[in-house]
Amino acid sequence: MSINFPLLLVIAVAVCGALSLFDLLVLAPRRRAAVAAYEGRVGTVDPTTLEELNKEPLLVEYGKSFFPVLAIVLVLRSFLVEPFQIPSGSMRPTLEVGDFILVNKFAYGIRLPVVDTKIIDVGDPERGDVMVFRYPSDPNINYIKRVVGLPGDTVRYTGDKRLYINGELVAEKLLGEEPGSLGSARIYREQLGEVEHLIRKEMNRLRIEPDREWHVPEGHYFMMGDNRDNSNDSRYWDDPDIALEFRGMVPDGNIVGKAFAVWMSWPDPKLDNLPNFSRVGLIH
């Protein structure tokens, strides 16, 4: 069962805020009135009794303590930066399994938490961006891929693993065989829009029929993983519940943000290894 953390965070902030407000408007005046009445009845004030009269209910105390912390986390996570961990190798060699990344939440517009409604338009995804989004067939799952096709584009991927956008071949340069692959995988440098980045191809693997072509509708994006033969991306999504012209596309409403940096790596915590910072840097 997936946990809707943004919803839980919003509820926690609302509850803690309500407790704080209730204390400010109702309970605190009652405590002050009780203290004033006590001081008026006795000649000598007992510090212990005074402390008891001023004491906040335990639930209110916790609510007031957690509210500012949770509110700051909500603002940072919803509107500024959100951390994610890479669970698969679909973005190799750009991102490895266990990389902890930071995602810019305002690069593509300010959105309300939980409902994800855009309230301020800041910018649009650009070709070559590494983007986190909610999987169209199951919005509870976050995916990370590279933006390949923009609204209005025609994307073609051939049987010999060539990428065309609007009829033009995307430039790539062979860098060499992947170390340890025994020649079965090669690393290329690809020029996608203004972004130069690395991609990985398995030379003996074919997953799709040759010369498939897609037209990207308005308000949608075509996504691909840098690990071209090991990525569940726009080339393979075929949800029958989605209209045919939108299958494989990521709607603007599903965008989470732009991945911009790796801040830590922890490939497999089960192996008693420790987090490392060898891969810290900006994402290209």
Side-chain angles (χ1 to χ4, degrees):
M1 181 179 67
S2 59
I3 298 176
N4 192 332
F5 182 75
L7 178 59
L8 293 178
L9 184 58
V10 168
I11 291 174
V13 171
V15 170
C16 291
L19 288 171
S20 301
L21 185 61
F22 182 67
D23 181 67
L24 178 66
L25 299 179
V26 178
L27 300 183
R30 288 181 182 176
R31 291 196 300 271
R32 289 195 294 269
V35 169
Y38 168 71
E39 291 176 338
R41 289 196 309 268
V42 299
T44 304
V45 175
D46 178 23
T48 303
T49 303
L50 195 62
E51 183 178 349
E52 284 295 322
L53 292 174
N54 271 313
K55 188 175 182 181
E56 297 174 344
L58 186 61
L59 192 59
V60 169
E61 184 179 348
Y62 278 121
K64 292 175 67 175
S65 299
F66 285 122
F67 176 69
V69 176
L70 293 175
I72 291 173
V73 171
L74 178 63
V75 170
L76 289 176
R77 188 184 185 279
S78 300
F79 304 115
L80 298 177
V81 175
E82 183 175 359
F84 288 90
Q85 184 181 16
I86 302 301
S88 73
S90 69
M91 283 296 291
R92 292 181 57 205
T94 303
L95 298 171
E96 298 286 350
V97 175
D99 281 351
F100 286 78
I101 65 170
L102 296 176
V103 173
N104 184 331
K105 297 297 292 286
F106 61 86
Y108 306 136
I110 306 298
R111 300 171 189 267
L112 293 176
V114 182
V115 295
D116 293 315
T117 301
K118 186 186 292 186
I119 56 175
I120 301 176
D121 192 6
V122 176
D124 296 315
E126 298 181 359
R127 198 185 324 279
D129 286 356
V130 177
M131 189 169 80
V132 174
F133 55 93
R134 290 179 286 111
Y135 181 39
S137 296
D138 186 355
N140 292 317
I141 302 175
N142 289 314
Y143 270 36
I144 181 167
K145 307 292 179 186
R146 194 176 294 274
V147 179
V148 170
L150 302 177
D153 283 348
T154 297
V155 179
R156 179 182 166 209
Y157 196 72
T158 67
D160 60 353
K161 306 178 190 293
R162 299 282 185 173
L163 175 62
Y164 292 80
I165 298 178
N166 299 325
E168 295 186 6
L169 177 65
V170 174
E172 62 181 34
K173 178 182 179 181
L174 175 63
L175 298 183
E177 296 179 356
E178 182 183 57
S181 69
L182 300 178
S184 65
R186 295 177 182 174
I187 303 298
Y188 293 78
R189 177 174 285 114
E190 183 179 77
Q191 184 72 42
L192 195 57
E194 300 297 321
V195 179
E196 190 176 66
H197 63 101
L198 301 181
I199 62 173
R200 178 182 184 271
K201 297 182 183 181
E202 293 189 7
M203 308 319 297
N204 299 321
R205 190 169 184 178
L206 180 65
R207 291 185 58 187
I208 62 174
E209 63 271 23
D211 299 322
R212 284 202 63 187
E213 189 171 274
W214 302 263
H215 178 73
V216 186
E218 287 300 317
H220 290 72
Y221 299 89
F222 189 91
M223 313 297 296
M224 290 177 65
D226 291 347
N227 192 355
R228 291 291 160 81
D229 298 297
N230 287 281
S231 173
N232 180 25
D233 53 39
S234 290
R235 295 169 293 171
Y236 309 112
W237 302 334
D238 195 24
D239 190 340
D241 294 330
I242 298 176
L244 185 61
E245 64 269 28
F246 299 118
R247 291 181 191 174
M249 307 299 160
V250 174
D252 182 80
N254 283 42
I255 292 175
V256 174
K258 180 180 179 180
F260 68 93
V262 176
W263 65 275
M264 187 180 75
S265 294
W266 198 355
D268 192 349
K270 298 177 182 177
L271 297 180
D272 294 329
N273 56 359
L274 296 175
N276 67 82
F277 302 92
S278 60
R279 292 180 44 77
V280 171
L282 298 178
I283 296 173
H284 300 289

